[in-house]
Amino acid sequence: MGSATGREGPFIVSRQVYKKDAERKADSWKKGVLHENSDPSVAELWECFLRYLVEEKQVGTSTVDQARKFGRNYILPVCGNLRISRLNEGHLQRVLNLSAQKGCLRQDTHRPSKGPLSLKTLRGLRNIEQQFVKWCRINGYTDLVLEGLEVRTSAQKVEKEILQPNELRTLFHVDTRLVRGKRVFDEQIYSYRFAVVTGLRPGELMGLRIGDIQGDKLHVQQAINRYGETTSGKNQNARRTFGLNSFTRRIVEQQLELLHASGMPTAPDSPLFPAMNQ
C-alpha cells in the first residue's frame, strides 16, 4: 500500500499543476481579446467595467445608470482614448477639476450643461473613478494606485428649497389643483401630506403597503425606484419603524376612505398610495 501511494504522489501533484494551469488559461480566456491586445484603451475597459457592475457585482439599475453617465459625460471625454498603461492619477484629477469648472465635458451632447458640478456629484464621480481603477488593477490591466484624488472644497453645495409656513398652510387646507383653469380634487393630496408629516422619501412612499401600518406603528420595509424596481431602500438604515400620531393616523384614514370610494383594493399587500410616480 505504501509503495503504491508513493507512486501516485507525482501524478497527484501533476494533476494539481495541470488544474491550476487550466484555471489560469480559463481566466485569461474570459478576459478575451483585451489581454491579447495587452494594452486596451480606457474606453474599452470602461465597457467591461460596466458589465462587471451588472453581471458580477449586481448593483442596482440606478447605480449602473449613474456610472454610465459619469463615464459618458466626464471620464471618457478626457481619458477614453488613452491606453490603460498611460493612465495616471493626474488624468483622473483633471476630470474632477474640469467637471468642477464646466460641468458636462462631452462635446456631442444635445443637452446643454447645467454648469459646474455640485460637491455631492463630484464626490460620486471620484468614487466611481476609484472603483474603476481598482477593478482594472485587480484584473491585471494596470498597477495604478490612486493616493489622493481631491474634490475642490469650493464646489457649490446645492441649496434645497423647503416649504414656507404659508405654503404648508395651503397644503393642509386646500385639497384641489388646477386643471385647464378649473379646480378639481387632487387624488394624491393625502400622499403629499403624509410625506411632509413623516419625512418619507418618494420611493418609500411608493413602496408603502397598507399592511406596513400596524396600529400606531409604521414599518418602512421597501422602496420603489424611478425604474419601477422594488429595493430595500436608499441605504442600510432605510428599513425602520416609527410611531404615528393622531394627525398622521387621520391622514391614513382619509386615504383609506378615498381608496374605498374609488373601488381600489385595500388588502394588506395593496399600495397605500397607488398610481403614484416620482
Side-chain angles (χ1 to χ4, degrees):
M1 287 293 290
S3 59
T5 304
R7 287 195 299 272
E8 289 179 359
F11 294 101
I12 294 175
V13 172
S14 296
R15 285 198 295 270
Q16 291 174 342
V17 170
Y18 290 142
K19 180 181 179 182
K20 288 181 179 180
D21 186 53
E23 289 174 346
R24 185 168 56 251
K25 290 180 179 178
D27 288 339
S28 179
W29 176 80
K30 287 178 182 178
K31 291 173 184 175
V33 297
L34 292 178
H35 264 306
E36 293 176 11
N37 188 17
S38 77
D39 195 13
S41 69
V42 170
E44 290 175 306
L45 287 174
W46 183 260
E47 291 303 314
C48 295
F49 171 66
L50 292 178
R51 287 200 297 273
Y52 154 75
L53 292 179
V54 174
E55 298 171 4
E56 295 186 42
K57 199 171 182 181
Q58 296 185 336
V59 301
T61 305
S62 58
T63 301
V64 176
D65 191 45
Q66 185 66 64
R68 186 175 286 108
K69 288 178 181 177
F70 280 151
R72 181 175 64 243
N73 295 332
Y74 309 107
I75 298 173
L76 296 183
V78 175
C79 306
N81 293 329
L82 285 174
R83 294 294 169 184
I84 190 62
S85 62
R86 298 196 59 193
L87 182 69
N88 59 46
E89 189 164 351
H91 295 120
L92 297 173
Q93 183 64 58
R94 186 164 181 262
V95 171
L96 293 172
N97 294 344
L98 290 176
S99 300
Q101 296 169 16
K102 302 179 181 180
C104 181
L105 305 177
R106 187 179 169 196
Q107 298 297 320
D108 60 344
T109 181
H110 299 293
R111 298 176 60 184
S113 175
K114 295 181 179 179
L117 297 188
S118 68
L119 184 62
K120 180 180 179 181
T121 304
L122 284 169
R123 286 173 175 168
L125 176 56
R126 176 179 61 183
N127 179 60
I128 206 67
E129 286 183 325
Q130 292 168 332
Q131 287 187 53
F132 171 67
V133 170
K134 180 180 179 181
W135 177 83
C136 290
R137 187 172 64 251
I138 64 178
N139 282 281
Y141 296 116
T142 183
D143 295 325
L144 179 61
V145 177
L146 301 179
E147 298 180 347
L149 285 179
E150 297 180 351
V151 171
R152 291 173 48 183
T153 55
S154 59
Q156 61 181 354
K157 295 182 180 180
V158 177
E159 297 293 334
K160 295 184 178 180
E161 296 183 8
I162 63 174
L163 291 177
Q164 297 303 307
N166 62 319
E167 295 170 326
L168 283 170
R169 193 174 298 110
T170 299
L171 176 63
F172 287 97
H173 285 85
V174 178
D175 56 11
T176 59
R177 59 190 174 97
L178 285 173
V179 177
R180 298 184 180 89
K182 294 183 179 180
R183 287 209 165 271
V184 298
F185 178 74
D186 191 331
E187 297 84 357
Q188 298 299 334
I189 187 62
Y190 302 125
S191 65
Y192 305 148
R193 292 173 180 173
F194 195 77
V196 169
V197 173
T198 61
L200 289 180
R201 301 180 179 97
E204 293 173 337
L205 206 65
M206 292 177 63
L208 198 61
R209 297 294 179 261
I210 292 174
D212 293 335
I213 298 177
Q214 300 174 357
D216 294 341
K217 299 292 184 181
L218 171 63
H219 304 281
V220 182
Q221 304 184 71
Q222 63 182 13
I224 298 177
N225 64 22
R226 62 195 181 101
Y227 302 96
E229 300 170 332
T230 300
T231 72
S232 59
K234 185 176 181 180
N235 52 46
Q236 61 183 2
N237 299 318
R239 291 193 173 191
R240 60 201 187 278
T241 298
F242 55 85
L244 300 176
N245 58 31
S246 57
F247 185 74
T248 312
R249 290 200 307 272
R250 177 54 186 154
I251 296 175
V252 172
E253 291 168 1
Q254 291 173 317
Q255 175 64 13
L256 290 175
E257 291 170 3
L258 177 62
L259 293 177
H260 279 298
S262 305
M264 302 288 287
T266 55
D269 61 347
S270 300
L272 181 59
F273 301 107
M276 288 188 64
N277 63 65
Q278 294 197 44

